[in-house]
Amino acid sequence: MPKVTFITSDGEKTTIENAIGTLMEVATEHEIEGIDAICGGVCSCATCHVRVADEWKEKVGPQNETEKDILDMEDGADDNSRLSCQIELTDEMDGLVVEVVEL
Amino acid sequence: MRWTDLSLKSWNSKDFQLTMDNTSCPYHDPFKKARQENGVMETEVAGEKIALILGYKDVRSAAREYATFSSDAPFRVPIPSEEDARSVRQLPIETNPPEHKEYRAIVEPFFRRPMQKDYIAKIESLVDDLVENAIQQDSIKVITEFALPLQSRALTHLLNVPEKEADTWVSWGVHVFREGNSNDSQKGQALEDYIHQQLDMAKQNPGEDFFSALTRAEYQGRPLTRDEMLGFANLTFAGGRDTVIHSISSTIAYLSEHPEALAALRENPKLVITATEELMRYISPITHIGRVCPVKTDVNGVQVEADSRVALSWASANFDETVFESPEELRLDRKPNPHMAFGNGTHNCLGAIHARLIIRSLLKKLSELQSITLLSAQRSIEKEVDYERELGYKNLTVTLNR
Ligand code: HEM
Ligand code: FES
């Protein structure tokens, strides 16, 4: 099971071993600052926004259609943006590093 | 799974006799035709000409274009407007950025309390008590005996005041103001008097409650004026009342018609999350919210005069078939579900975390029941010149069966 690291807006890094589920679920379980995920993962709230480093983009994959529609209008979103509730963690993503984007 | 059975029964009521085909219910999505034609409905609400923006993407982007669709308009964000119902501008909702940001930040810490574990436990226990009590009764009147007390008591936790304060709020009845009757200003006055009193007490004897926080807060380096404090408190009471009550009553009505939903929630507790979002989409407790166009504006071919209003129709956007597959079906496991029941963009609902918690706790607790028997129901209908929409219940009486 993969290890993932969150970098919050104050620069703090939190690494979680054996992460399972969606990236959002892992973040909320570990109370990562800035991931409120208030809709619980249905792609409605955009309070689970992260930025995926270039080197991880391929393994994590692109925004899905609904996610893209939402992020297109979100301030501070760019090509590296993903909604963490839409990222299902796989072994391939072992070592993943993401930046938390605060609203 | 369609949510029309009950409505079909209640259509017999003389309050709202309509002709309709019996396969689809026009109340669910009264904006469908106009949304599909050009995405806008030119209509009149309480004598005012308003252009309703109906398509999902249009609503979503309009909610962000505050220069074109402005919230900097005291009394004129709600539809119909509320000049008669209150004396102050509601905050932070009736402002635009950049002012909005600083205003919103003042109260945001209170609205984030529902993410705390002990807060969640308190709301769950409140729901537990109310449901257990309701099970003991032969029948309950959902609006007055369940939804109103639940909404009011839950709000005491948000505002961090003693739970018994809810007794006063319950005594105001379901409609603090609004409902367009002649009592508007009277009821509005009662709420303002109450808030003044709370602010006076907080000033004398400050604590950790919402009112005390307002008396300490600063805006642009100066203390808030009394009107500003009033504006924050007024919105907190008004915005979180009918909306939450409609959500609770509609949720219970739905479950009474769909015992299989109770079983599904019981078997799969995770469903509570997606079910809450889907109920919010389906119910859309706020049909629409106004914005003022500072200059003459073309909205999908409709000319909106300077200083006239448009409305962002959350209810229509939430049924947009280009975004939601079979929008008239209530699917408890719908995902993704990018609904906008809580608005979107700049002014997205501050109370959303709290409101979601209430509905999630309710679904979790009610899933312990075998069934809910529906004894009587009468829907309330928003009747306007060009559309009618069912929203919540006037009366709803049920028995909860363990
Ligand atoms: C199911 C329940 C609720 C629904 C459907 C709902 C819906 C909405 C919507 C659609 C907006 C956007 C307004 C706009 O764009 O102009 C909004 C804003 C707001 N709501 Fe709610 N609301 C609910 C519950 C609550 C509760 C419980 C509270 C407080 C106790 C609350 C307080 C607010 C506030 C303060 C704003 C303004 C935010 C801002 O201007 O930044 N709401 N709500
Ligand atoms: S949790 Fe709401 S969009 Fe991801």
Side-chain angles (χ1 to χ4, degrees), chain A residues 46-67:
Chain A
T47 63
C48 65
H49 183 178
V50 296
R51 220 175 264 125
V52 177
D54 282 334
E55 60 271 29
W56 283 100
K57 273 173 78 174
E58 203 182 308
K59 279 185 181 153
V60 172
Q63 300 164 359
N64 64 43
E65 207 182 317
T66 309
E67 189 186 353

Side-chain angles (χ1 to χ4, degrees), chain B residues 159-162 164 196-216 226:
Chain B
L159 305 188
N160 205 18
V161 300
K164 65 167 173 37
H196 271 305
Q197 192 192 332
Q198 295 303 307
L199 290 168
D200 289 343
M201 278 161 44
K203 209 155 175 130
Q204 276 178 11
N205 199 354
E208 294 309 310
D209 60 286
F210 185 76
F211 301 103
S212 299
L214 290 175
T215 64
R216 283 192 293 263
R226 190 43 92 96

Side-chain angles (χ1 to χ4, degrees), chain B residues 18-85:
Chain B
L18 290 176
T19 47
M20 62 194 67
D21 71 56
N22 48 17
T23 53
S24 81
C25 168
Y27 288 136
H28 287 169
D29 185 12
F31 308 109
K32 187 170 181 172
K33 197 163 156 264
R35 185 178 60 239
Q36 288 172 346
E37 277 169 15
N38 67 342
V40 55
M41 182 189 270
E42 258 186 297
T43 186
E44 228 176 70
V45 181
E48 180 188 352
K49 222 172 130 182
I50 296 188
L52 312 184
I53 302 177
L54 303 174
Y56 181 89
K57 283 198 175 155
D58 288 347
V59 171
R60 206 173 172 101
S61 57
R64 286 144 202 277
E65 290 165 18
Y66 59 85
T68 313
F69 303 110
S70 175
S71 294
D72 182 11
F75 314 111
R76 297 183 69 199
V77 168
I79 294 177
S81 61
E82 291 181 348
E83 285 91 345
D84 295 337

Side-chain angles (χ1 to χ4, degrees), chain A residues 77-96:
Chain A
D78 59 27
D79 286 352
N80 295 67
S81 290
R82 292 290 316 263
L83 293 174
S84 59
C85 65
Q86 302 302 303
I87 302 176
E88 191 74 43
L89 290 166
T90 62
D91 285 336
E92 278 239 285
M93 297 181 204
D94 188 30
L96 175 65

